[in-house]
Amino acid sequence: MSIIGVGIDVAEIDRFQAALKRTPGMAERLFLERELLLPSGERRGIASLAARFAAKEALAKALGAPSGLLWTDAEVFVEGSGQPRLRVKGTVAARAAELGVRSWHVSLSHDAGVASAVVIAEG
């Protein structure tokens, strides 16, 4: 296995929240319904959503930032162990296959008003 790409991104949480409030339907264009909700069914907090947005940006960077990727073709989810993971389909899966990506590593964080994510594409 070798590293095919690495991406990192940060999102200012208050700015991300303001963008969601200012643009109706933005959350639904960025996230799948199951990304918007906690396992309990409650709406996910803004810091968590900002970290997921940063992960999707980092994922695009790890793939070389090609045009035409759909936000909802990448899903950030958490395994039972608490480890964040990526699930890809459609445009994102096609680009990953083109580059030979076979697995993903993702790390999410948020603190002091900033959310961040790192994504490593491995093949």
Side-chain angles (χ1 to χ4, degrees):
M1 297 282 264
S2 64
I3 294 175
I4 293 174
V6 177
I8 185 169
D9 196 69
V10 297
E12 185 182 339
I13 295 168
D14 287 344
R15 185 175 175 201
F16 183 73
Q17 183 174 32
L20 289 178
K21 286 182 181 178
R22 186 176 55 248
T23 311
M26 182 177 173
E28 288 73 21
R29 286 192 301 275
L30 294 175
F31 304 106
L32 297 170
E33 182 66 26
R34 59 185 170 258
E35 289 179 293
L36 295 170
L37 303 174
L38 294 167
S40 65
E42 293 178 68
R43 182 109 172 152
R44 189 173 295 281
I46 192 65
S48 179
L49 288 177
R52 280 158 173 72
F53 175 71
K56 291 182 182 209
E57 287 277 350
L59 168 65
K61 291 173 183 176
L63 293 175
S67 62
L69 298 180
L70 298 177
W71 294 108
T72 53
D73 280 352
E75 176 187 359
V76 180
F77 68 99
V78 179
E79 291 185 334
S81 66
Q83 182 178 5
R85 295 299 229 182
L86 289 170
R87 186 177 294 126
V88 299
K89 64 181 182 180
T91 59
V92 177
R95 176 63 175 168
E98 180 181 306
L99 296 174
V101 177
R102 296 191 319 196
S103 65
W104 301 99
H105 304 276
V106 60
S107 181
L108 308 174
S109 186
H110 48 81
D111 189 30
V114 177
S116 62
V118 174
V119 171
I120 298 171
E122 196 172 40

